[in-house]
Amino acid sequence: QVRLMESGGGSVQAGGSLRLSCVTSGYTYDSNCIAWFRQRPGRAREGIAAIYTGGDSLHYPGHKRGRFIVSRDTAKNTVYLQMNDLIPEDTGMYYCTADPIGTYELCGAVERGQHWGKGDWGQGTQVTVSS
């Protein structure tokens, strides 16, 4: 059974940092795209970073890396999202997901800023940034 479990959220002041973790299990593909999305109050869910495990290529919306950096630890089956210089507008629920058939499609969707509703999702972790 496929599982994704996020952790690491919390409450921080503006300018602070958090590192979110996404532990994955149950996937049978040698390579896959794992992505981070967030849903802020009153807004649609948006992709913010992705990593393709077949080569560790990193993918960001518009091909631009900003304050958030994605990485992974293969031995721990964990994908991280390092969030720096947090602002109140970063407040929201953060989720990880994976391409359901082990392709690159999810990574491309994150780069193009496209909606993604396929596959499995974790339960999310809440990030709250105060001013």
Side-chain angles (χ1 to χ4, degrees):
Q1 181 181 359
V2 172
R3 290 191 64 190
L4 302 101
M5 183 173 296
E6 304 93 337
S7 63
S11 297
V12 296
Q13 289 190 326
S17 299
L18 284 173
R19 188 177 78 160
L20 307 184
S21 299
C22 172
V23 179
T24 66
S25 61
Y27 285 101
T28 59
Y29 303 107
D30 292 336
S31 300
N32 205 352
C33 180
I34 312 292
W36 284 97
F37 280 70
R38 69 179 177 184
Q39 186 150 23
R40 297 181 284 178
R43 303 190 189 192
R45 190 165 57 191
E46 58 184 335
I48 51 179
I51 183 167
Y52 189 70
T53 62
D56 283 342
S57 59
L58 308 182
H59 306 272
Y60 301 96
H63 303 273
K64 296 178 180 179
R65 192 193 83 178
R67 296 175 291 115
F68 300 166
I69 303 169
V70 64
S71 64
R72 74 176 182 129
D73 184 327
T74 305
K76 297 181 179 179
N77 289 326
T78 301
V79 173
Y80 300 102
L81 184 69
Q82 179 68 39
M83 307 167 66
N84 301 317
D85 298 321
L86 287 161
I87 59 177
E89 288 74 20
D90 292 322
T91 294
M93 189 71 81
Y94 286 70
Y95 302 89
C96 63
T97 186
D99 193 292
I101 56 173
T103 71
Y104 191 83
E105 184 180 0
L106 171 58
C107 286
V110 169
E111 287 184 332
R112 294 187 296 270
Q114 292 177 333
H115 170 74
W116 184 266
K118 305 177 186 179
D120 300 288
W121 295 77
Q123 82 288 348
T125 186
Q126 176 70 35
V127 172
T128 303
V129 184
S130 59
S131 58

